């Protein structure tokens, strides 16, 4: 009776504190289980022993994903793998951007293969359900997936029951999130000083224009006003085991993330995210030769997306209060073009609800001893409903106020993948041979219904948002780019084959070929063939290595492969404009129609060809493992816009979309792992990885270029041009600040040149500063990325710390450049600005001159950083305690994610997550990364 009371009391305590209860191995058996996972690596349509792999594949185990407070599993492996750069989104539920060995295309993302189903997004997946993750990096490993894998592939295997008796796991953590490194802005006194100084610098001597503190008593820190410390909580329970010939694994989990935007003063529900995810894996061995299985996932997600007011809070003058004390309404910034950030955050409302059902049914039949036939059919059904409600903005001038507007979007995405493979595996003496042949068919259909209406009454409940109660109702289900309604339907049909051969496990060869036919293209270029070959030499198995005692394992490998990408922007219909009285017959004018945009109807495949050379070794009785790889990858016929100035009269003369670019990514990656077991109670693991990368545009259609990206007064800050890295910034090189009139007179002629203004470099040497003096100012692509850490098990305690960082990249601080009139300044500028001769040669004076805000090197900053990505300390309760409670394991832990970052950038974070790879380093209203502190528990019973 006493034991029962203790057990129930502890379980109630677990539920009360919402702690993390996770099935993890004990310190004694953790190493053994990890090694078993590492022995076999998931590859395309199969698996292979790690020592026989001839391509570049990074492996992530379940322990790298467990207990991390991330909605998306990919976020948890940041800094864990060489050659893989992950940029996280700070917004709740946001998916990270993954770049594998550089930029292969300007569109698309890596493909995720979850238990046989191909998808571009795994936000539905509970990290606790994952057993292993294989990241395929080189084209020879990826070519078996052909058209779907041009940006890389991640194969995810979820858990399945193996124990003969049921095993239950309960997982839960409770934590809080806090935005760190909030930039310091000028306060009200400093702003008034800067504002009045600006008037003087611009020659405005009207005393009535000056600001005084007595007229503006408020002092609002807008950035701190829009943020809050929020709660994140995750709970899930799973059961797994074996019932005779049936293996099973089932789980249900719930994640809630409140988000850091402090909405709630009005109608908005903030920027929260929640997800309910269920998982069921079954496989049943009907006979010794026939096994069937099912992998089922269902998830419901809700995202409350506030209209991000970060840029408005950055620029809003601190001299205004949040609310008007007289009217009780949100304060209107009279004379300013900036909206009240708090009002914008509180009153705009947007919500997305998604239901997703993913199901994979498969059967595997072995016959004639060495043949295996596998048939797999996967469906992925996604239903999404979204609304956006924009109220009448009463905090703006009456002339700018518009009726409230409601927009609803309901979409359906239907995907299926049908895979059929036949394999033959045979050992012929010292020769080991495996042949694979397959056929695959993929279909994707996307449809959307769009409705919008004005003057919809909203009382704070979703039920009141009935679009048919509004006016000016408009709807469409057809392609309409202006409203981002783009229905789609495509099919891919593929035939593929692969040969794996090894001689005594010493000489290894892998060759594959895949033929993909994609419906996106005309019959003239519908199908492409993607071959690949790789080879390995396990040197340590040679006779001449038998006497040495340095290497336990030594392998040299090389590979070559080709991939294609059919998922590109293209258009078949000419865009035309009707012109009234555009043509004349005699003296009478009649309507005419003319082509407005020139299109290329013959856009073809993007292709990527790559090769690599690698060395793998194990030393010190397999305690130390080192892997180093050189890679070189060429991407050709990349689809994007270019300047096509010879096309007269077309509105898209400066953005003609075609197969315009070729890229090259080359680099070096290395990883080190040292695992030592000091005694039965102490185990220590050190790991580290490093990637050096150089990206370059090698050719552009017609020798052209494209100026694109964010712009201010028509001055774009990104230029795509041969010889430069993708996303490179383009503008004027600042070489100092004019100190006096003599300095101005002795310098090249420059528009608005005067003391206190930026001095630009005269790069063409003609004595005049103009657009011909623009130059490239840096690249957003890091020259190097790295990660390292240590994991220790000491008796019943465990400790882990992970570091991650980048260097050699630049960030364009577009938040700082955006000045239209009377925006606020950051404290760094206030402290370092030019106020007279000799005061500064790097910061300009305070002014609204457009010459100050031209794209220039002043806004290009160092993006290097080093971060503590994770710290975790855990304690396993003694066996005497767990046995008394009739449980297998109980572990308590505390963790911190992103608690510390060292960087020089004048912004929230140097981790800039833009999904648009052309603007990948431009900081413009980016949702910041948060520090997350959690407390949890792991329980197995």
């Amino acid at each position: 009776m006493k034991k029962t009371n203790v057990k129930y009391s502890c379980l109630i305590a677990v539920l009360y504190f919402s702690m993390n209860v996770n099935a993890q191995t004990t310190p004694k058996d953790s190493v053994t289980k990890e090694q078993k996972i590492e022995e076999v690596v998931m590859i395309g349509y199969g698996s292979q022993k790690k020592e026989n792999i001839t391509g570049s594949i990074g492996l992530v185990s379940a322990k790298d994903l467990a207990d991390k407070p991330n909605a998306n599993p990919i976020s948890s492996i940041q800094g864990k793998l060489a050659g893989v750069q992950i940029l996280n989104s700070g917004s709740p539920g946001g998916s990270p951007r993954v770049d594998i060995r550089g930029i292969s295309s300007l569109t698309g993302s890596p493909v995720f293969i979850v238990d046989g189903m191909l998808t571009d997004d795994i936000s539905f997946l509970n990290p606790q359900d994952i057993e292993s993750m294989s990241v395929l990096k080189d084209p020879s490993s990826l070519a078996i997936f052909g058209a779907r894998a041009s940006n890389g592939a991640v194969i995810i295997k979820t858990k399945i029951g193996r124990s003969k008796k049921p095993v239950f796991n309960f997982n839960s953590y409770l934590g809080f999130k806090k935005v760190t490194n909030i930039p310091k802005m000028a306060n009200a006194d400093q702003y008034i000083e800067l504002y009045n100084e600006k008037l003087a610098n611009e020659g405005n001597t009207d005393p009535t224009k000056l600001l005084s503190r007595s007229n503006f008593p408020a002092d609002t820190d807008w950035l701190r006003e829009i943020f809050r410390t929020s709660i994140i909580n995750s709970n899930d329970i799973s059961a797994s085991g074996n019932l005779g010939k049936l293996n099973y694994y089932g789980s249900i989990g719930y994640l809630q993330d409140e988000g850091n935007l402090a909405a709630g003063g009005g109608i908005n529900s903030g920027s929260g995210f929640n997800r309910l995810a269920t998982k069921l894996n079954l496989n049943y061995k009907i006979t010794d030769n026939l096994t069937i299985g099912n992998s089922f996932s269902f998830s419901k997600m809700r995202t409350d997306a506030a209209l991000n007011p970060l840029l408005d809070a950055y620029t809003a003058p601190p001299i205004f209060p949040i609310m008007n004390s007289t009217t009780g309404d949100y304060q209107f910034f009279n004379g300013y073009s900036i909206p009240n950030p708090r009002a914008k955050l509180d009153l705009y409302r947007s919500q997305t609800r998604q239901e997703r059902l993913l199901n994979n049914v498969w059967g595997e039949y072995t016959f004639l001893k060495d043949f295996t036939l596998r048939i797999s059919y996967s469906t992925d059904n996604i239903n999404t409903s979204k609304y956006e409600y924009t109220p009448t903005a009463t905090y703006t001038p009456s002339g700018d106020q518009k009726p409230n507007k409601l927009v609803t979007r309901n979409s359906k995405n239907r995907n299926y993948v049908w895979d059929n493979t036949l394999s033959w595996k045979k050992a012929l003496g010292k020769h080991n041979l495996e042949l694979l042949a397959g056929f695959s068919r993929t279909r994707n259909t996307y449809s959307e219904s769009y409705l919008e209406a004005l003057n919809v009454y909203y009382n704070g409940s979703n039920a009141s948002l009935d679009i048919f109660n509004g006016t000016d109702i408009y709807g469409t289900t057809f392609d309409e780019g202006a409203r981002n309604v783009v229905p789609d339907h495509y099919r891919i049909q593929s035939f593929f084959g692969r040969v794996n051969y090894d001689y005594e496990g010493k000489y290894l060869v892998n060759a594959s070929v895949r033929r993909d036919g994609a419906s996106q293209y005309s019959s003239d270029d519908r199908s492409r063939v993607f071959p690949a070959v790789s080879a390995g030499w396990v040197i340590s198995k040679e006779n001449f290595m038998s006497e040495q005692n340095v290497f336990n394992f030594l392998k040299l490998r090389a590979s070559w492969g080709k991939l294609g990408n059919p998922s590109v922007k293209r258009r078949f219909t000419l865009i035309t404009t009707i012109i009234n009285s555009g043509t004349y017959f005699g003296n009478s004018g009649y309507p005419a129609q003319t082509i407005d945009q020139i299109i290329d109807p013959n856009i073809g495949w993007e292709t990527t060809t790559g090769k690599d050379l690698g060395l793998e070794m194990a030393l010190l009785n397999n305690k130390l493992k080192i892997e180093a790889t050189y890679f070189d990858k060429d991407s050709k016929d990349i689809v994007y816009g270019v300047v096509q100035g010879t096309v007269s009269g077309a509105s898209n003369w400066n953005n003609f979309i075609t197969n315009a670019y070729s890229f090259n990514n080359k680099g070096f990656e290395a990883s080190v792992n040292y695992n030592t077991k000091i005694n039965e109670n102490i185990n220590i693991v050190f790991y580290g990885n490093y990637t050096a990368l150089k990206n370059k545009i090698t050719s552009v259609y017609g020798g052209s270029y494209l100026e694109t990206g964010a712009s201010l007064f028509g001055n774009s800050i990104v230029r795509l041009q041969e010889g430069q890295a993708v996303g490179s910034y383009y503008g004027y090189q600042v070489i100092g600040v004019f100190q006096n009139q003599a300095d101005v007179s002795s310098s090249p002629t420059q528009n608005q040149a005067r003391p206190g203004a930026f001095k630009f470099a005269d790069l063409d040497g003609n004595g005049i500063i103009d657009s011909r003096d623009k130059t490239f100012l840096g690249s957003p692509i890091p020259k190097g990325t790295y990660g390292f850490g240590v994991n220790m098990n000491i008796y019943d305690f465990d400790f882990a710390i992970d570091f991650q960082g980048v260097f050699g990249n630049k960030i364009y601080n577009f938040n700082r450049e955006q000045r239209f009139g009377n925006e606020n300044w950051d404290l760094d500028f206030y402290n370092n600005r030019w106020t007279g001769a000799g005061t500064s040669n790097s910061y300009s004076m305070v002014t609204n001159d457009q010459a100050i805000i031209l794209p220039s090197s002043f806004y290009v900053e160092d993006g290097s950083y080093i971060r503590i990505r994770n710290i975790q300390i855990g304690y396993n309760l003694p066996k005497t305690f767990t046995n008394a409670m009739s449980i297998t394991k109980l572990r308590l832990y505390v963790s911190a994610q992103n608690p510390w970052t060292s960087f020089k950038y004048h912004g929230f974070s140097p981790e800039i997550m833009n999904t648009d790879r052309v603007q990948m380093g431009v900081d413009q209203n980016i949702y910041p990364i948060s520090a997350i502190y959690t407390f949890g528990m792991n329980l197995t019973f």
Side-chain angles (χ1 to χ4, degrees):
M1 186 69 178
K2 186 175 181 180
K3 288 183 179 179
T4 303
N5 290 337
V6 170
K7 180 173 70 173
Y8 286 147
S9 299
C10 290
L11 289 176
I12 291 171
V14 169
L15 294 170
Y16 179 78
F17 287 105
S18 289
M19 293 183 283
N20 191 337
V21 188
N22 187 336
Q24 292 198 356
T25 57
T26 62
K28 289 184 179 180
D29 64 21
S30 62
V31 176
T32 302
K33 290 192 175 183
E34 288 169 26
Q35 288 175 345
K36 286 182 180 178
I37 292 175
E38 290 179 349
E39 287 176 356
V40 177
V41 177
M42 301 301 298
I43 60 175
Y45 303 100
S47 60
Q48 196 171 14
K49 289 183 179 180
K50 178 72 167 69
E51 65 179 23
N52 291 340
I53 295 290
T54 53
S56 292
I57 300 177
L59 183 66
V60 180
S61 63
K63 77 179 187 66
D64 293 312
L65 306 172
D67 306 331
K68 306 297 191 303
N70 299 305
N72 195 301
I74 290 295
S75 298
S76 298
I77 67 171
Q78 185 181 41
K80 294 284 189 177
L81 295 176
V84 181
Q85 185 184 15
I86 294 172
L87 291 159
N88 285 308
S89 168
S91 60
S95 297
R97 198 186 83 218
V98 183
D99 294 324
I100 300 176
R101 289 185 172 178
I103 308 299
S104 299
S105 175
L106 296 178
T107 58
S109 62
V111 63
F112 299 93
I113 302 96
V114 183
D115 295 328
M117 182 66 210
L118 279 67
T119 178
D120 295 327
D121 175 49
I122 57 170
S123 58
F124 70 94
L125 190 59
N126 184 347
Q128 299 288 352
D129 291 334
I130 297 176
E131 180 176 288
S132 69
M133 185 185 293
S134 297
V135 181
L136 281 57
K137 297 185 284 187
D138 69 308
S140 74
S141 301
L142 295 164
I144 195 69
F145 291 115
R148 294 301 302 269
S150 61
N151 287 293
V154 180
I155 302 177
I156 295 175
K157 184 177 185 297
T158 58
K159 295 175 181 177
I160 188 67
R162 294 184 176 88
S163 174
K164 289 188 177 181
K165 69 175 189 176
V167 176
F168 296 93
N169 306 304
F170 179 64
N171 306 286
S172 172
Y173 59 76
L174 177 67
F176 64 91
K177 300 175 62 176
K178 182 178 178 61
V179 176
T180 59
N181 305 308
I182 299 176
K184 294 181 179 179
M185 306 300 294
N187 61 28
D189 291 321
Q190 294 162 340
Y191 176 83
I192 290 172
E193 179 186 350
L194 290 168
Y195 184 95
N196 292 336
E197 185 179 313
K198 179 188 69 171
L199 293 180
N201 289 336
E202 295 173 350
N204 191 332
T205 58
D206 185 353
T208 64
K209 301 294 184 181
L210 297 175
L211 300 182
S212 66
R213 197 73 174 90
S214 59
N215 293 330
F216 295 94
D219 189 359
T220 305
D221 188 335
W222 289 104
L223 282 175
R224 295 190 180 276
E225 174 62 33
I226 65 171
F227 291 121
R228 67 177 175 184
T229 298
S230 63
I231 300 297
I232 183 171
N233 177 228
S234 175
N235 301 275
D236 67 80
I237 188 168
S238 66
S240 62
N242 177 281
L243 294 173
K245 296 182 178 182
L246 175 68
N247 291 338
Y248 64 89
Y249 172 86
S251 73
I252 183 169
Y254 183 76
L255 171 71
Q256 184 173 18
D257 183 350
E258 290 182 345
N260 289 118
L261 289 179
I267 62 172
N268 196 1
S269 55
S271 57
F273 171 81
N274 61 59
R275 177 185 65 205
L276 175 68
T278 61
K279 181 71 179 173
L280 179 63
N281 285 341
L282 302 170
N283 65 59
Y284 184 75
K285 197 173 183 66
I286 298 177
T287 68
D288 290 340
N289 296 331
L290 178 62
T291 303
I292 60 174
N294 178 237
S295 178
F296 172 89
S297 297
F298 177 74
S299 64
K300 295 184 69 173
M301 294 182 287
R302 192 188 82 181
T303 304
D304 294 311
L307 189 61
N308 189 353
L310 183 62
L311 181 60
D312 298 315
Y314 187 90
T315 57
I319 58 175
F320 293 103
I322 300 167
M323 309 297 293
N324 187 312
S325 58
T326 302
T327 64
D329 294 328
Y330 289 98
Q331 177 64 49
F332 163 54
F333 300 168
N334 188 27
Y336 292 77
S337 58
I338 306 166
N340 184 318
R342 182 73 209 197
K344 184 176 180 180
L345 174 60
D346 287 347
L347 299 182
Y348 172 90
R349 183 175 177 87
S350 176
Q351 187 178 98
T352 301
R353 291 177 179 266
Q354 184 182 97
E355 292 186 354
R356 186 169 187 177
L357 192 155
L358 191 150
N359 194 44
N360 171 249
V361 181
W362 59 270
E364 192 171 273
Y365 179 64
T366 302
F367 60 99
L368 298 179
K369 188 177 180 180
D370 302 316
F371 288 88
T372 301
L373 174 67
R374 183 182 177 94
I375 299 175
S376 170
Y377 185 81
S378 301
T379 59
D380 186 8
N381 297 326
I382 306 172
N383 294 332
T384 305
S385 61
K386 179 180 180 179
Y387 69 77
E388 300 168 343
Y389 178 76
T390 306
T392 301
T394 57
Y395 52 90
T396 61
S398 57
D400 295 336
Q401 293 180 14
K402 300 177 181 178
N404 66 59
K405 183 177 181 180
L406 176 63
V407 172
T408 64
R409 299 173 183 269
N410 292 288
S411 64
K412 294 182 179 180
N413 200 321
R414 300 291 182 261
N415 309 301
Y416 85 74
V417 179
W418 180 34
D419 287 329
N420 306 268
T421 60
L422 177 65
S423 62
W424 178 67
K425 190 173 183 178
K426 187 74 173 178
L428 303 170
K430 296 180 180 181
H431 303 272
N432 298 295
L433 184 64
E434 183 176 2
L435 305 180
L436 173 77
F439 167 76
S440 179
R441 178 174 289 171
T442 301
R443 185 178 70 187
N444 179 284
T445 302
Y446 176 81
S447 61
E448 180 178 334
S449 62
Y450 173 97
L451 288 170
E452 68 176 45
L454 302 179
N455 300 306
V456 177
Y457 172 72
Y458 177 53
N459 64 11
S461 67
N462 286 352
S464 67
L465 290 172
D466 186 348
I467 202 161
F468 294 105
N469 291 334
T471 63
D472 303 273
I473 299 173
Y474 173 83
T476 183
T477 58
F478 300 102
D479 192 332
E480 187 169 337
R483 290 179 169 85
N484 196 29
V485 180
V486 187
D488 195 15
H489 183 185
Y490 69 83
R491 299 178 303 279
I492 298 177
Q493 181 169 287
S494 312
F495 298 90
F496 53 89
R498 180 174 62 209
V499 177
N500 279 327
Y501 167 80
D502 76 77
Y503 178 77
E504 288 190 319
K506 186 189 306 182
Y507 308 114
L508 317 168
V509 176
N510 175 297
S512 67
V513 64
R514 181 170 178 128
R515 183 180 184 273
D516 279 325
S519 64
Q520 294 98 310
Y521 298 108
S522 63
S523 56
D524 295 336
D525 191 27
R526 178 158 294 170
S527 298
R528 289 289 182 98
V529 176
F530 305 110
V533 63
S534 59
W537 176 26
V538 183
I539 305 172
S540 54
K541 290 188 177 182
E542 294 287 0
N543 292 333
F544 62 79
M545 296 289 287
S546 60
E547 299 300 323
Q548 60 85 33
N549 55 11
V550 177
F551 296 102
N552 303 108
F553 181 78
L554 182 63
K555 179 173 72 176
L556 181 67
R557 53 176 172 76
S559 69
W560 175 92
K562 188 174 184 179
L563 301 164
N565 178 25
S567 302
V568 297
K569 293 195 312 180
R570 53 206 315 270
R571 181 184 292 150
F572 294 101
T573 305
L574 290 173
I575 304 300
T576 61
T577 298
I578 296 176
I579 304 174
N580 292 325
S581 301
T583 185
Y584 281 82
F585 293 95
N587 295 324
S588 300
Y590 296 90
Q593 194 169 16
T594 184
I595 295 174
D596 181 61
Q597 292 186 10
I598 301 298
I599 66 168
D600 180 0
N602 298 313
I603 290 175
W605 290 74
E606 297 180 349
T607 60
T608 296
T609 305
K611 53 185 178 291
D612 73 359
L613 179 66
L615 185 67
E616 299 176 24
M617 63 185 75
L619 306 90
L620 304 178
N621 198 24
N622 286 312
K623 292 180 180 179
L624 177 62
K625 296 182 180 180
I626 302 173
E627 185 170 345
T629 305
Y630 170 80
F631 59 89
D632 191 344
K633 182 170 63 174
D634 287 301
S635 299
K636 296 183 178 181
D637 298 321
I638 303 300
V639 177
Y640 211 72
V642 291
V643 171
Q644 182 78 332
T646 58
V647 181
S648 176
S651 64
N652 66 331
W653 67 271
N654 61 343
N655 190 20
F656 173 65
I657 296 175
T658 187
N659 292 103
Y661 297 90
S662 294
F663 304 154
N664 176 263
N665 294 277
K666 65 178 59 176
F668 170 81
E669 60 186 41
S671 60
V672 178
N673 185 282
Y674 181 75
N675 189 333
T676 180
K677 188 174 184 179
I678 298 175
N679 57 42
E680 288 298 316
N681 297 302
I682 301 177
N683 188 81
I684 303 177
V685 178
F686 298 95
Y687 79 89
N689 63 77
Y690 169 76
T691 305
L693 175 69
K694 184 178 181 180
N695 171 273
K696 185 171 69 172
I697 300 173
T698 53
S699 68
V700 183
Y701 174 80
S704 188
Y705 63 91
L706 179 68
E707 292 189 357
T708 185
S711 65
L712 194 63
F713 298 112
N715 295 296
S716 300
I717 63 176
V718 173
R719 182 170 170 127
L720 302 178
Q721 182 174 306
E722 182 178 342
Q724 302 297 321
V726 174
S728 292
Y729 315 122
Y730 191 70
Y732 296 95
Q733 183 68 50
V734 175
I735 57 175
V737 175
F738 292 113
Q739 299 298 317
N740 49 48
Q741 189 58 45
D743 193 5
V744 174
S745 300
S746 62
S747 299
T749 302
Q750 179 177 318
N751 187 34
Q752 295 181 321
R754 57 195 179 100
F758 284 134
K759 184 191 299 185
F760 298 140
D762 182 18
L763 297 181
D764 64 359
N766 66 355
I768 300 174
I769 304 297
D770 55 24
S771 61
R772 291 170 293 184
D773 293 300
K774 287 185 176 181
T775 187
F776 288 94
L777 304 173
S779 164
I781 300 176
K783 293 179 180 178
T785 61
Y786 58 89
F788 60 94
V790 60
N791 297 272
M792 294 186 292
N793 288 302
I794 303 174
Y795 291 88
D796 291 325
F797 289 90
D798 60 83
F799 170 78
I801 183 169
D802 301 311
F803 293 84
Q804 171 261 332
V806 305
F807 67 89
N809 61 309
K810 300 295 183 181
I811 298 172
Y812 199 98
N813 194 338
F814 198 64
N815 289 335
R816 203 177 208 186
E817 184 185 7
Q818 291 191 79
R819 299 199 61 80
F820 305 94
N822 300 319
E823 296 85 356
N824 196 13
W825 295 265
D826 58 58
L827 189 60
D828 173 72
F829 181 85
Y830 171 83
N831 290 329
N832 296 286
R833 71 191 188 280
W834 185 92
T835 56
T839 56
S840 176
N841 197 39
S842 55
Y843 286 65
S844 70
M845 63 179 173
V846 181
T847 179
N848 273 351
D849 288 349
Q850 287 192 22
I852 300 297
I853 55 176
L854 288 173
S856 74
S857 59
F858 176 77
Y859 303 104
V860 178
E861 301 188 38
D862 185 4
S864 304
Y865 71 88
I866 181 171
R867 167 184 293 153
I868 296 178
R869 178 60 177 156
N870 284 291
I871 303 177
Q872 188 171 117
I873 301 173
Y875 173 66
N876 292 277
L877 274 69
K879 286 289 185 181
T880 54
F881 180 80
T882 55
N883 290 339
M885 295 178 61
S886 300
I887 61 177
T888 305
K889 178 184 175 182
L890 186 60
R891 173 179 176 264
L892 302 172
Y893 73 88
V894 292
S895 73
Q897 182 168 282
N898 306 324
W900 173 84
T901 307
S902 176
F903 60 95
K904 297 179 180 178
Y905 174 61
H906 295 99
F908 284 94
S909 168
E911 186 173 355
I912 307 299
M913 210 297 282
N914 266 321
T915 54
D916 182 359
R917 286 179 170 84
V918 173
Q919 299 191 81
M920 67 185 97
V922 180
D923 188 357
Q924 182 185 19
N925 212 34
I926 300 296
Y927 199 110
I929 302 292
S930 300
I932 308 175
Y933 303 91
T934 57
F935 172 65
M937 180 183 287
N938 305 120
L939 176 66
T940 304
F941 58 96

